Amino acid sequence: MADPHLGDVPAAEFRAAMHRVADLVADYLEHVADYPVLSRARPGDVRAALPAVPPRDPEPLEAILADYRRLIEPNLTHWNHPGFMAYFGITGSGPGILGETLAAGLNVNAMLWRTSPAATELEDLVTDWLRQMLGLPEGYRGHINDTASVSTFVALGAARDRTPGLEVRERGLAGRPDVPPLVIYASEQAHSSVDKAAIALGLGIAGLRKVPVDAAFRMDAGALETMLAEDRARGRLPIAVVATAGTTSTTSLDPLAAIAAICRREALWLHVDAAYAGSAAICPEFRPLFDGIEAADSVVVNPHKWLFTPVDCSVLLVREPAALRAAFSLVPEYLRTDEEGVTNLMDYGIQLGRRFRALKLWMVIRAFGVRGLRDRIRHHIGLARELEGWIRAEPGFEVVAPVPFSVVCFRLARGATGEAQDAANDRLLAAVNAAGPVFLSATTLRGRRVLRVAIGNLRTRREHVATAWALIREAAARV
Ligand SMILES: *Cc1c(COP(=O)(O)O)cnc(C)c1O
């Protein structure tokens, strides 16, 4: 007979706790706006409130959940809060949370088709749905990674691997006088994940060249051409260009078609980082902004940023999936089982084991429908444009970058010098964030402090944007 003290917690206790968790989550989402969005915890508070040593004896789930409610939930910065307008939002939606919960229950590990047939096939299917929604041509294969940082790393790894004559996969890069310095190009406004990929791929920071941007923070394609010619003349070997469609500071878009033409001519891998803004391409009216993306070798879009899917879920779409397999699969090509038509997800990146992330994305797309997702994105873009109008009409403020999507970059332009203006903007940001209802972030553009309002949260309505603007104006009068 089974020892009642071994095995999982008693089924009845688990069931009751699971119901309680359903209520905790639903209550949280209904009342999240009652919290200050930015945590008021001081460093060390949470840890000091919890026992320093693990419990010797079992504790009831009910007691653990009570501590969750008392100590964990209140001591967070609330990304689900309608006033969360910092960075880029991540919003867990109801359907996304259901998918995440079911995936936790199943706890499958989709490394091989046979270890998780439905997880593997759903991932192939749902990333193809996303491809269609984005208007990308057939042929791209989608793969879910945890983050855009990993998607970009994997894509650039494939670019490095397919460079003729290097045999990096077999021979590595170190100690090889026959290998010239390899170079990747991205704009000055590209995300730091490109720098990290250059570090991890053995190119080093010096192996990533930052291409200057124009007045609207877009990569200067002419400058890219000049840098490529310079580098080739100096014996360096360009391997890839990362174009950003929706930069992290201002959501500017690099000129994808011009960059794609250069990449084609120079036989370079083109990776498009559309981690945030790619989601807007599901709306036909915004698709022209992405013209040229269909020539990319790889594209990353994060449904966990602006497609209402809980973190983490980053989709990497690759035009030549064989390039990923060539870089990362450890099954020799002659032993492949492709003719049976099965996908083994472990062949497309660094990870062996992987979570069932496709489930939540599938549930989100089904529950909102493509139409519902489009409408929500349009709503956010509309709110951002309205806010942009309010700021432009306000003396003493300036909008400092175009607003193609749902992020507005602006600053208080008051003060005798640039430094004085920066300090005033820092005080303004601190005052607004201390108030409680909203959380904004800042960036630096052309050496000057700039404030950002990023709208991307499912719960954000016009009244929340109006509150943010009222708080900004109020604080501006005081700083
Ligand atoms: C957020 C962001 C990233 C990094 O995303 P992670 O998924 O957190 O790694 C990369 N590029 C751009 C343009 C981003 O906005």
Side-chain angles (χ1 to χ4, degrees):
M1 214 183 77
D3 183 329
H5 300 294
L6 301 180
D8 206 343
V9 297
E13 189 187 350
F14 170 71
R15 184 179 295 273
M18 198 69 185
H19 283 290
R20 174 90 186 99
V21 165
D23 282 333
L24 277 173
V25 174
D27 287 344
Y28 172 67
L29 294 177
E30 272 175 42
H31 300 294
V32 63
D34 298 344
Y35 284 114
V37 53
L38 184 61
S39 171
R40 295 199 169 145
R42 284 156 307 166
D45 276 358
V46 175
R47 187 142 184 196
L50 294 164
V53 294
R56 197 193 80 102
D57 293 315
E59 298 189 72
L61 295 179
E62 203 43 50
I64 305 168
L65 291 176
D67 281 351
Y68 160 84
R69 182 69 192 76
R70 191 170 59 87
L71 292 169
I72 308 299
E73 191 186 289
N75 286 309
L76 289 166
T77 292
H78 297 284
W79 290 71
N80 279 304
H81 194 294
F84 190 104
M85 300 174 193
Y87 319 113
F88 289 124
I90 48 171
T91 317
S93 59
I97 294 167
L98 296 177
E100 196 72 296
T101 307
L102 293 170
L106 294 170
N107 198 28
V108 295
N109 193 339
M111 51 198 189
L112 295 168
W113 179 85
R114 65 158 21 157
T115 67
S116 291
T120 302
E121 293 187 18
L122 196 65
E123 180 160 333
D124 276 348
L125 176 79
V126 81
T127 56
D128 194 62
W129 282 6
L130 184 65
R131 174 195 68 75
Q132 295 172 48
M133 290 159 63
L134 299 171
L136 285 171
E138 271 179 45
Y140 282 93
R141 179 184 179 278
H143 188 79
I144 304 183
N145 292 304
D146 54 357
T147 56
S149 303
V150 167
S151 293
T152 293
F153 167 79
V154 166
L156 293 174
R160 186 189 67 172
D161 192 75
R162 71 146 196 186
T163 308
L166 293 183
E167 295 173 330
V168 181
R169 182 190 155 110
E170 283 307 310
R171 301 175 55 203
L173 284 172
R176 290 185 60 186
D178 61 314
V179 176
L182 307 181
V183 194
I184 290 170
Y185 303 79
S187 95
E188 289 165 356
Q189 293 288 317
H191 190 265
S192 56
S193 55
V194 185
D195 305 60
K196 287 200 178 180
I199 295 168
L201 289 166
L203 276 62
I205 300 273
L208 171 62
R209 292 204 67 195
K210 300 280 178 80
V211 184
V213 294
D214 67 12
F217 307 101
R218 299 170 298 205
M219 184 192 286
D220 176 343
L224 171 65
E225 282 189 293
T226 308
M227 288 165 93
L228 283 165
E230 251 170 43
D231 285 340
R232 289 204 195 275
R234 284 196 218 145
R236 297 178 183 160
L237 183 56
I239 60 170
V241 177
V242 179
T244 311
T247 56
T248 312
S249 278
T250 71
T251 73
S252 60
L253 294 110
D254 290 340
L256 300 179
I259 295 168
I262 295 168
C263 288
R264 199 159 39 240
R265 202 165 60 235
E266 302 263 347
L268 300 176
W269 184 287
L270 173 59
H271 176 64
V272 175
D273 178 359
Y276 150 75
S279 295
I282 72 168
C283 302
E285 70 272 30
F286 299 120
R287 225 171 263 159
L289 293 171
F290 298 85
D291 268 353
I293 197 170
E294 66 287 348
D297 294 286
S298 52
V299 177
V300 58
V301 178
N302 279 6
H304 77 223
K305 267 194 173 145
W306 202 11
L307 220 51
F308 318 120
T309 306
V311 67
D312 48 10
C313 185
S314 172
V315 175
L316 175 66
L317 292 145
V318 176
R319 197 147 47 138
E320 212 184 292
L324 280 187
R325 289 199 300 269
F328 295 110
S329 169
L330 276 173
V331 185
E333 206 56 37
Y334 54 84
L335 288 182
R336 300 214 50 77
T337 53
D338 278 356
E339 67 282 4
E340 294 168 26
V342 303
T343 297
N344 294 318
L345 292 171
M346 65 168 193
D347 290 340
Y348 294 86
I350 285 290
Q351 291 185 257
L352 172 62
R354 59 203 333 272
R355 316 195 308 110
F356 189 178
R357 296 192 187 92
L359 193 59
K360 57 187 170 183
L361 183 55
W362 181 64
M363 293 184 74
V364 166
I365 295 173
R366 288 189 61 180
F368 293 112
V370 176
R371 182 160 58 90
L373 294 170
R374 284 175 175 159
D375 287 347
R376 285 165 174 79
I377 282 175
R378 288 175 180 135
H379 176 58
H380 294 158
I381 293 177
L383 290 176
R385 298 215 166 134
E386 199 171 3
L387 173 65
E388 180 193 7
W390 297 339
I391 298 173
R392 284 195 189 282
E394 185 75 11
F397 279 88
E398 59 187 22
V399 173
V400 298
V403 182
F405 302 110
S406 66
V407 172
V408 185
C409 291
F410 64 99
R411 61 201 297 273
L412 188 58
R414 240 174 29 210
T417 63
E419 286 68 29
Q421 291 188 357
D422 287 351
N425 279 282
D426 284 336
R427 289 196 301 275
L428 175 61
L429 181 68
V432 169
N433 285 344
V438 301
F439 175 31
L440 317 182
S441 58
T443 188
T444 298
L445 290 172
R446 299 201 188 89
R448 290 273 78 91
R449 209 72 183 134
V450 166
L451 308 183
R452 277 169 93 261
V453 171
I455 298 163
N457 194 302
L458 268 184
R459 289 175 177 74
T460 303
R461 293 189 307 270
R462 188 172 182 275
E463 73 206 56
H464 303 112
V465 181
T467 298
W469 178 230
L471 287 168
I472 292 164
R473 289 183 65 201
E474 239 168 69
R478 284 184 282 122
V479 298

